[in-house]
Every structure is written in C-alpha cells, then in structure tokens.
Amino acid sequence: MKITAVAPANIAFIKYWGKKNDNLRLPANGSLSMSLDKCTTTTTVEFDKKYRKDSFEILGDTVSDKEQARVSNYLSRLRKMAKSKFFARVVSRNSFPKSTGIAASASGFAALSVAASSALELKLSEKKLSILARLGSGSACRSIPDGFVEWREGNSNETSFAYSIYPPSYWDLRDILLIISAEQKRVPTTRGQEASRETSIFYRPRIDQARRLLPLLKKAFVKKNLEEVGKIIEKDTINMHCVMMTTNPPLFYWSPKTLEIIKNVYLWREEGVPVYFAIDAGPNVHLICEGGNEKSVLEKVKKIKGINKIIVNKPAKGSHLINNHLF
Ligand code: DP6
C-alpha cells in the first residue's frame, strides 16, 4: 500500500547544535522552533515484495549514495520494528528546490517517519513519531507536532522528543526567509556538530546559555513579547555561529550578504520596524516579525540587492498524511 505524508521544515529559536549521544541523537540542550508552512517535504512510501532493494528519489533533484544509504538504514530500523522483510520505494518532493539552499533533513525525515511507519501499519503516537524522526535527523523531531514546538532534551531514547507548546494560531508570526545563496553545505551538520563539540572553546558555554535561555524564551512566549523573544533568538543564533566559527577547521556559514542583512535588521529596528534574525547552517537569513509588520519588512528587504528568493512562512501544522501519492 502506498502512503504519503507532508511535513514542514522548522526554524529554531533556541537551536540544536551538538549531541550528548551520537547514536540516539540526544541533543546537548533542549530547543524550541516554529514550523514553516511554505517549506515542506511530501513523501510517498511503498513497501512491497516486488522491490529487490530500497530506492529513494527526490523529484527534480539528485540523491547521493550517502543519502541513499542513510534512508535505507533508517527504513531497516522501521522494518525491524514492524517485523517486515519488504524493501521500499521512497519518492520525495520538496516545496523549496535544492537551489534555495535550505536543508531538507528536518522535513525530510519527519515526512519519511510518518509515511513509512503508517505504510508498515505501526500506529505510533505523536510522541513515538517524534522519537523516530529524531533518530533520522535530530531537528526532524520538531517537524512532527503542530505550530510552536519544544524538543525536550531528555536523557534517553524515550525521554527526548518534541511536542507542541502552542498551535499555529497562537501567534501570527512570520518567518520571512531570504535566500541569498544556493550553495550546498560542504560539511554535513552531523559531522559539523561533532567537530564543534571536539574543538570549539565556546561549545560548552553556548550549551549552558541555551539551557538558561530556553525557560526565558518560553516565558516571553506566554506574554507574546516579540522584543524579548527576538533578542533571545538573535542571541542563540550568534552564539551558535560563534561555536561554528571557532570549530577546527572553522565552519563559516555566513557570506558577506548575511552580515549586511544582520546590520540592516538593527537599523530597521531603530527605524521602528520590530524584526529579528535567525540563521541556520547556511548563509540564508530568516526574518522573524509579526504578521502586521510583514509588509514593512518586505519593503525594507526589497531595497537590498542580491537576494535570490523570498519565502514568507506562517506557523504551520505538523506532519500529516494526505491522499495524493507521488507515484
Ligand atoms: C543548524 O538536525 O541537521 O538546523 O541530527 O546530525 O541530522 P543531525 O543534525 P540536524 O541539525 C541541524 C541544526 C540546525 C539548528 C536547529 O535546527 O536547531
């Protein structure tokens, strides 16, 4: 039977950069994110005796041997759980083409967990699905629940999972994503995180501060205080990039354009537009503001040269099944 799932990507306000257990992908600190309605992965899975091996394709994109192997290993984990012997065909489509440079591992593994576990009739709770997605790629566990999501750090496979702290309707926030480069990450995040843990002198202090900032962020969320929320987002973004830049060899994800946008964000705030930035493992900048300020932010953004694409995201619902299959 073919099963298809859709999963949103997410932007972390307190980030995940480093593990305390590599095999289980247990994070060194808890994190909090917003799911993105315009950046999604759709995945169709079919397990069947007609398949001689697992196959994975991304429509309109190439898949490396490493990516094939990572998906196939992941499917084997599910096969074991379901006591199934069938191989699978997996076809995915990202709403954001690879040329936008956004990592698809969060939405990708979330969609795969939901579709593959359902195809194997595993009937998992949201918590179990989040745990399963985490084992594929850490940030994927935050793409299972709806809206605004906390990934509880935990200290075992069963206690480290994500859950919704607020539905998408709780706060009309925007993530205005500015794509400035389609350049692919040269160092995969898993490897980058290990290197940071081993070599960055700021690795530990950042984790300690992220742990202190998380409860403060949650308090600011209760009040829907964008200024408090935004300042925490920027703090942890800068902290994480300091860790990356002080890794050996250094991970410089920013481009000159990234810094130009950061400096503009400060200016725009001085001019009265409440907007804050978040940056993941790449040069692209996520601008966080309230829905009422979307227009004024876009007007400011349009004056900056060299932005390839702008994606305006609202808070999204989490991973779910749909009836339109990709093959
Ligand atoms: C920079 O989830 O890609 O996006 O668990 O090793 O697959 P693995 O890492 P991954 O890490 C992405 C981290 C980040 C920040 C974040 O989303 O919290």
Side-chain angles (χ1 to χ4, degrees):
M1 199 181 24
K2 284 179 202 168
I3 298 281
T4 301
V6 181
N10 66 74
I11 177 69
F13 292 174
I14 291 287
K15 294 180 176 299
Y16 151 58
W17 191 255
K19 303 173 178 64
K20 56 188 176 198
N21 180 315
D22 292 339
N23 278 338
L24 293 176
R25 289 189 143 80
L26 297 184
N29 62 277
S31 53
L32 194 151
S33 63
M34 172 177 126
S35 295
L36 308 177
D37 72 334
K38 291 290 183 301
C39 298
T40 59
T41 299
T42 304
T43 295
T44 300
V45 178
E46 182 182 45
F47 288 89
D48 197 283
K49 59 176 180 301
K50 70 185 173 202
Y51 299 124
R52 292 279 156 260
K53 60 181 177 66
D54 292 323
S55 69
F56 171 47
E57 90 195 72
I58 304 178
L59 298 177
D61 228 327
T62 50
V63 173
S64 68
D65 289 349
K66 265 199 171 156
E67 287 169 317
Q68 283 280 354
R70 188 168 171 182
V71 166
S72 185
N73 286 339
Y74 189 68
L75 291 171
S76 295
R77 187 190 288 276
L78 282 146
R79 267 191 290 267
K80 216 171 156 189
M81 286 169 72
K83 299 188 174 61
S84 163
K85 288 199 165 55
F86 297 152
F87 289 111
R89 178 175 180 201
V90 178
V91 178
S92 287
R93 187 174 56 212
N94 296 320
S95 70
F96 44 98
K98 204 173 200 167
S99 59
T100 56
I102 311 171
S105 73
S107 51
F109 274 99
L112 181 61
S113 322
V114 171
S117 61
S118 171
L120 289 166
E121 295 178 354
L122 279 167
K123 297 199 173 63
L124 302 177
S125 63
E126 181 182 276
K127 175 179 159 183
K128 288 254 160 67
L129 282 169
S130 176
I131 290 171
L132 197 59
R134 189 201 75 228
L135 293 165
S137 181
S139 54
C141 76
R142 295 190 312 240
S143 286
I144 298 288
D146 288 339
F148 300 95
V149 173
E150 179 181 359
W151 176 4
R152 194 174 282 163
E153 183 186 324
N155 52 20
S156 63
N157 187 44
E158 296 304 313
T159 53
S160 185
F161 58 92
Y163 63 100
S164 178
I165 53 169
Y166 295 108
S169 59
Y170 175 70
W171 195 356
D172 187 30
L173 286 186
R174 293 288 178 278
D175 172 357
I176 302 179
L177 172 54
L178 309 185
I179 310 292
I180 54 189
S181 165
E183 205 187 309
Q184 290 300 304
K185 283 177 291 192
R186 261 157 297 167
V187 180
T189 43
T190 308
R191 181 66 211 118
Q193 289 183 28
E194 273 170 33
S196 291
R197 186 180 60 199
E198 284 154 23
T199 61
S200 168
I201 56 161
F202 296 128
Y203 178 78
R204 202 61 245 170
R206 184 217 145 241
I207 300 288
D208 293 341
Q209 200 184 29
R211 284 183 172 155
R212 284 193 296 271
L213 289 174
L214 185 55
L216 299 181
L217 178 63
K218 284 166 72 178
K219 269 195 193 147
F221 250 88
V222 174
K223 296 183 275 179
K224 294 190 197 170
N225 183 327
L226 183 70
E227 188 180 350
E228 283 181 25
V229 165
K231 291 209 161 141
I232 294 173
I233 297 176
E234 289 187 353
K235 197 172 263 186
D236 194 45
T237 283
I238 296 172
N239 288 351
M240 180 181 77
H241 283 272
C242 283
V243 170
M244 291 162 160
M245 289 176 199
T246 49
T247 294
N248 187 14
L251 299 162
F252 286 110
Y253 288 112
W254 294 2
S255 72
K257 195 52 79 183
T258 312
L259 194 57
E260 185 189 325
I261 296 169
I262 290 175
K263 292 196 165 178
N264 271 291
V265 168
Y266 295 140
L267 279 180
W268 298 339
R269 284 216 291 272
E270 273 173 28
E271 290 165 9
V273 182
V275 55
Y276 298 83
F277 62 83
I279 305 158
D280 277 343
N284 302 320
V285 182
H286 298 250
L287 298 178
I288 311 297
C289 67
E290 289 185 307
N293 286 307
E294 176 187 325
K295 251 188 160 174
S296 9
V297 172
L298 284 174
E299 268 163 31
K300 300 272 188 201
V301 164
K302 279 172 189 155
K303 290 187 190 133
I304 299 181
K305 291 194 187 76
I307 295 172
N308 290 339
K309 196 175 159 75
I310 300 171
I311 304 176
V312 179
N313 289 287
K314 292 181 183 178
K317 71 174 184 169
S319 304
H320 54 278
L321 297 175
I322 57 166
N323 292 322
N324 301 337
H325 305 308
L326 294 179
F327 65 91

